[in-house]
Amino acid sequence: ITNPVIHNALTFFVEYMPPSMHLCLISRADPPLPLARWRARGQLTELRQQDLRFTAGEAAEFLNQVMGLNLATADVAALNSRAEGWVAGLQMAAVSLQHRPDASQFIDAFTGSNRYILDYLLEEVLQKQPAAVQTFLRQTAVLDRLCAPLYDWLMAGSDSTPAAQEILQYLERANLFIIPLDQDRRWYRYHRLFADLLRQRLRESAAADVVALHQRASRWYEANGFPEAAIDHALQAGEMMRAADLIEQMAEAMMMRSEVSTFKQWLAALPVALVQARPSLCLYAAWILSMEGRSLAEIEVFLRPAAAADAPGELAAVHSMLALIDGQGQRAAALAEAALQQMAPERHFLRGLAAWIMGQALFLSGDNEAGTAALETAVRLSRQVGNLTILTVSLNRLANQAWRSADLHRASRIYQQALAFATDDLERPLPIAGEILVSQARLHYEWDDLDAAYACAVDGVALTERWRELAAMGGYLMQARVWQVRGETAAANEAMARAQAIAHRSEGTDVDDLVVALWHVQLYLLQGNLAAALTWIAERQLTDAVDPAALRRREDVVAGHLRKYEYLTLARIHLAQNRPDRALAVLTPLLADARRQQRLDLVLEILILLALAYHWQGQPAQADRFLEEALTLGEQGGFIRLFVDAGPAVADILRRQQPADERRQAYIQALLASFDQTSPVRVGGPLAGRSVSGELVEPLSERELEVLGLIAAGLSNREIAAKLVLSLPTIKWHTSNIYGKLGVGNRTTAVARARELQILQ
């Protein structure tokens, strides 16, 4: 419909139609009607491209139930991501997948060059466009994102350059597979499948232009402050030397933002000899490989050329990381100290890394006070220079230390602070945020908030894939535990298998394999598979003779620490076999050692198991005594699952408790409610950050109340910072404190909780 008389008549009709009437218009492109005016009046309801995209669940239902493909969840997610929820694209992919045995391989290779997609996009979209639009689409095919000034730069000197901004607006109005990336309609990108088609057409019609377009795009991005895009296009143009120079300039900034995956992809695209000629790139490559648990032989490929350079402090930092992973606490501390003394002040990332390693090494040696002080120093220094990676991992370790002190509320607040900092300039989570989410998943699980635990574990895994694979292992372990508690054994085993696969791929240490094995044995016990648990104990050659002093004398203190968990697992197996005497023989020396080391989380776990052992031994007074101590310790942090996962016999002991204190009574009732999974009374999340009575554990400060009020008013962090004349990191810090004290995870729930407590009116 192009006749303006029709559009004018329809506009008149809409403006004066009776209020009881509703008009529905369906159009691929925006019609030339006064939509903005109707939108401002609240007279317009719109269903746009985003609304019509299939979600993961809708895609699964369509592909598996309607199209009968029976695809795995991961394959559905990959295909829907590639098609970006485009229903027709999914349907064409489904047609191609019919009777194919290699579904996963097809999905991995699914692009706009698929013959069904290709035919549709050519016949229905591309060939119907004016010549100027087709030229524009072909010339911008190499760009992952585009704007008018970039196009003008690409076409500088051309006699027939289309008006870029007009074409971009036309493409958006016509919904021609273009997606705006900002509110100002300045930046756009093409739908992935459409971009695949355009690039194929460019290669077929003007292959010689591809390299030149990449070269010009790279220089525009560099000149306009987009170094990452400049590197990508330089690599695609084959300008390896220039790309290496740009990567070297960006390396430290990428490390401080935990963009390890992108950095690795860049290095992989460069010739190895070109990387080895740059000591700074070699140092970062060696550090990344050590974090991934790769073999020493692989790491040496980059350490050897780095050693030839005059950088003893930087080398010491990387070697201290290797020593830490190997469990050599004293050597790691000595190397970290040397690194800090020898490195220049401007080596922000590696200095932060050395400070973090120093804290970790001190914890390994048992000096918790000095370790805490070292990490707090690392946090302070990292904040000053914007080293978000080290800042985040340092806060994560401090939160874990709070956990070891059985102070889950403090741990929660620190996790929230870490998450607040682990964001980019647009407040999107950085890859390092994945580690915090995995830690939070464990916290939510302990508080018996299984939905939140699973969500954090899934989101954490997705982010850690851009950081380091080993961090994803904990996310899969947490998913396995949640699935098992929900009775989904097959899903639990699948998640456990993913964690095992990650551990097996890590060759630098056996610690990760042992961690996964310990979780797996506990999964066996939850599943009632005692035979599998016994097989593992036999393979480890564990006996009931526990010598904590011998554990502390072990050269590898990390393995020695994990040995304690092996003995705890052995005690659980003895209880599952109804052998309380043997369980007591293992648990009694472990309790004394945990008390000596002030590992209150271990003390709590051991106390619960001791109460069970005496209960099965027929000594109720002893069982009550140990459980009462466990309740005193557990109530402070709101522990739930440690009690529940120990088995239903714990509930029998709980029911014998008759405390006079109302808080203790409420805590016991909350625990008993969690034993009864059908009860509407849940503990977990609601206990986080406040007492059972509903009061805050720690009140909000005046500044935090001020920030909370502005959050409730709908202001963003940047707007709050401007209004209060404070820096954005300071606002993030206050926000994270607010979340921790309220026991919430986002703005919406913070405001709702504050109103519930009458902090906000």
Side-chain angles (χ1 to χ4, degrees):
I1 301 173
T2 57
N3 190 331
V5 174
I6 297 175
H7 295 301
N8 292 337
L10 184 58
T11 299
F12 181 88
F13 175 74
V14 171
E15 294 279 2
Y16 293 100
M17 68 183 183
S20 60
M21 184 175 182
H22 299 271
L23 180 66
C24 179
L25 293 178
I26 300 176
S27 171
R28 180 179 182 86
D30 283 358
L33 302 172
L35 302 181
R37 184 168 75 227
W38 297 341
R39 189 180 295 118
R41 291 176 180 174
Q43 296 176 322
L44 186 66
T45 299
E46 300 169 271
L47 291 176
R48 292 284 180 174
Q49 183 182 41
Q50 186 63 37
D51 304 295
L52 298 177
R53 288 178 179 173
F54 269 16
T55 64
E58 291 164 346
E61 184 176 354
F62 172 73
L63 293 169
N64 290 335
Q65 296 185 26
V66 177
M67 302 301 293
L69 293 178
N70 195 29
L71 297 177
T73 302
D75 287 336
V76 170
L79 186 56
N80 194 49
S81 173
R82 189 67 187 161
E84 299 193 70
W86 178 35
V87 185
L90 288 172
Q91 185 175 33
M92 286 182 274
V95 171
S96 301
L97 277 166
Q98 298 288 350
H99 311 299
R100 292 188 70 112
D102 57 341
S104 295
Q105 293 180 11
F106 172 84
I107 291 169
D108 288 341
F110 182 68
T111 66
S113 61
N114 173 272
R115 64 189 182 94
Y116 295 108
I117 299 286
L118 187 66
D119 290 345
Y120 176 88
L121 292 176
L122 283 174
E123 295 175 10
E124 298 295 327
V125 180
L126 196 57
Q127 293 175 356
K128 293 183 177 181
Q129 302 309 312
V133 173
Q134 292 194 40
T135 299
F136 178 89
L137 292 172
R138 184 178 63 254
Q139 292 167 336
T140 55
V142 301
L143 303 174
D144 290 328
R145 55 178 182 157
L146 61 148
C147 64
L150 172 55
Y151 178 76
D152 293 338
W153 169 270
L154 289 181
M155 295 295 105
S158 173
D159 296 331
S160 57
T161 301
Q165 193 60 40
E166 292 180 12
I167 291 183
L168 286 170
Q169 292 172 354
Y170 162 78
L171 293 173
E172 185 182 4
R173 285 195 306 270
N175 284 316
L176 287 179
F177 294 91
I178 193 168
I179 300 167
L181 299 177
D182 55 30
Q183 296 296 324
D184 298 328
R185 295 310 200 257
R186 171 177 164 80
W187 284 97
Y188 295 85
R189 73 169 176 87
Y190 295 122
H191 188 288
R192 292 188 183 95
L193 297 178
F194 191 51
D196 291 338
L197 165 69
L198 296 178
R199 286 164 189 158
Q200 179 174 320
R201 296 279 289 178
L202 178 63
R203 287 191 296 268
E204 292 172 351
S205 62
D209 294 344
V210 175
V211 170
L213 288 169
H214 279 302
Q215 289 174 337
R216 294 188 66 80
S218 178
R219 282 161 174 74
W220 186 91
Y221 278 123
E222 182 184 6
N224 286 273
F226 300 101
E228 295 172 41
I231 292 168
D232 289 335
H233 284 284
L235 289 171
Q236 292 180 77
E239 296 182 313
M240 296 303 174
M241 189 67 73
R242 179 169 173 271
D245 291 340
L246 291 171
I247 293 170
E248 196 165 17
Q249 296 170 22
M250 282 291 296
E252 183 168 65
M254 296 296 285
M255 296 302 102
M256 295 205 302
R257 295 203 309 271
S258 68
E259 295 287 358
V260 167
S261 178
T262 301
F263 184 76
K264 282 173 54 183
Q265 291 171 10
W266 289 342
L267 292 191
L270 294 174
V272 174
L274 199 56
V275 177
Q276 291 176 324
R278 289 169 164 76
S280 63
L281 291 185
C282 289
L283 284 167
Y284 291 126
W287 172 72
I288 290 170
L289 291 174
S290 68
M291 289 284 285
E292 292 178 340
R294 305 294 283 272
S295 68
L296 187 59
E298 293 177 273
I299 298 171
E300 285 289 346
V301 170
F302 297 103
L303 269 183
R304 279 195 300 270
D310 184 19
E314 288 82 349
L315 277 171
V318 177
H319 280 292
S320 68
M321 185 72 202
L322 292 171
L324 180 69
I325 291 173
D326 200 35
Q328 302 177 44
Q330 292 182 348
R331 174 172 165 76
L335 287 166
E337 179 73 28
L340 289 169
Q341 290 177 357
Q342 296 173 12
M343 272 191 293
E346 61 268 17
R347 297 310 300 264
H348 299 310
F349 177 76
L350 290 173
R351 287 186 65 83
L353 174 65
W356 173 75
I357 291 172
M358 178 68 73
Q360 295 282 72
L362 289 168
F363 280 131
L364 280 179
S365 66
D367 194 343
N368 294 340
E369 186 175 344
T372 299
L375 285 182
E376 287 175 345
T377 299
V379 168
R380 185 178 67 256
L381 295 177
S382 297
R383 283 187 66 188
Q384 292 172 356
V385 299
N387 189 350
L388 301 179
T389 299
I390 301 302
L391 171 60
T392 302
V393 296
S394 298
L395 286 171
N396 193 35
R397 184 62 179 85
L398 288 171
N400 292 342
Q401 192 62 22
W403 185 301
R404 293 182 174 196
S405 301
D407 191 348
L408 299 191
H409 302 305
R410 182 166 180 270
S412 177
R413 292 195 294 273
I414 298 175
Y415 288 143
Q416 291 293 346
Q417 291 169 355
L419 275 181
F421 284 111
T423 58
D424 62 14
D425 293 339
L426 299 177
E427 299 189 27
R428 296 172 303 192
L430 292 169
I432 190 62
E435 288 217 19
I436 306 300
L437 288 170
V438 169
S439 296
Q440 278 196 317
R442 180 173 167 239
L443 183 69
H444 287 304
Y445 178 84
E446 184 55 46
W447 279 337
D448 204 21
D449 190 347
L450 300 184
D451 290 341
Y454 185 77
C456 282
V458 170
D459 292 344
V461 165
L463 283 170
T464 53
E465 289 176 350
R466 293 162 46 207
W467 162 235
R468 64 181 186 122
E469 188 181 40
L470 274 176
M473 186 182 77
Y476 285 122
L477 291 174
M478 201 68 257
Q479 290 178 38
R481 181 64 69 88
V482 172
W483 280 123
Q484 187 56 52
V485 168
R486 287 173 165 168
E488 300 285 349
T489 299
N493 290 337
E494 181 183 347
M496 182 59 68
R498 290 177 180 271
Q500 286 177 317
I502 292 173
H504 291 333
R505 285 194 290 271
S506 170
E507 302 175 6
T509 176
D510 294 330
V511 169
D512 44 17
D513 297 277
L514 182 53
V515 168
V516 172
L518 285 166
W519 278 71
H520 204 170
V521 174
Q522 292 201 41
L523 198 66
Y524 288 146
L525 294 176
L526 288 172
Q527 294 171 353
N529 189 352
L530 185 58
L534 289 171
T535 299
W536 182 81
I537 289 294
E539 292 172 353
R540 296 296 295 175
Q541 298 181 341
L542 285 176
T543 68
D544 296 346
V546 180
D547 183 359
L551 296 180
R552 293 193 295 274
R553 287 195 300 270
R554 290 173 62 92
E555 182 180 350
D556 186 343
V557 292
V558 175
H561 170 69
L562 290 175
R563 192 74 167 176
K564 299 171 188 176
Y565 287 97
E566 289 184 282
Y567 282 119
L568 272 175
T569 303
L570 177 62
R572 291 179 183 276
I573 291 174
H574 286 331
L575 289 172
Q577 292 178 295
N578 197 17
R579 293 178 174 177
D581 292 345
R582 295 188 64 178
L584 288 171
V586 174
L587 292 169
T588 302
L590 285 180
L591 179 62
D593 185 64
R595 291 191 195 278
R596 186 193 65 79
Q597 293 189 326
Q598 296 182 318
R599 280 293 308 274
L600 298 186
D601 59 330
L602 281 179
V603 169
L604 173 59
E605 188 172 354
I606 295 167
L607 287 171
I608 295 170
L609 296 179
L610 281 168
L612 270 179
Y614 281 112
H615 175 75
W616 289 120
Q617 204 178 45
Q619 298 189 52
Q622 285 285 74
D624 291 347
R625 180 171 68 85
F626 280 109
L627 193 66
E628 184 178 356
E629 185 180 353
L631 288 170
T632 300
L633 193 56
E635 182 184 351
Q636 298 170 9
F639 284 86
I640 299 295
R641 293 304 312 187
L642 270 184
F643 290 88
V644 176
D645 289 349
V650 175
D652 297 334
I653 309 173
L654 281 170
R655 293 187 183 96
R656 294 203 301 260
Q657 306 297 308
Q658 298 294 329
D661 182 78
E662 291 185 3
R663 283 175 55 116
R664 177 61 54 81
Q665 288 178 358
Y667 182 49
I668 290 174
Q669 290 304 312
L671 286 170
L672 290 172
S674 286
F675 275 97
D676 180 9
Q677 294 299 319
T678 62
S679 171
V681 180
R682 303 293 293 171
V683 183
L687 279 180
R690 62 181 188 275
S691 69
V692 177
S693 63
E695 298 176 354
L696 290 178
V697 170
E698 183 180 348
L700 300 181
S701 67
E702 290 186 15
R703 177 65 84 183
E704 288 164 355
L705 287 170
E706 189 175 14
V707 171
L708 179 60
L710 295 174
I711 289 174
L715 274 68
S716 68
N717 282 352
R718 289 187 180 279
E719 291 169 334
I720 294 172
K723 188 174 183 64
L724 299 182
V725 197
L726 296 171
S727 69
L728 182 59
T730 300
I731 297 302
K732 290 181 177 180
W733 188 272
H734 286 312
T735 303
S736 65
N737 283 335
I738 293 168
Y739 291 170
K741 291 179 181 181
L742 293 175
V744 300
N746 56 53
R747 287 168 157 256
T748 304
T749 51
V751 173
R753 178 61 186 150
R755 286 177 174 150
E756 178 186 337
L757 293 174
Q758 297 184 344
I759 296 173
L760 285 175
Q761 299 303 317

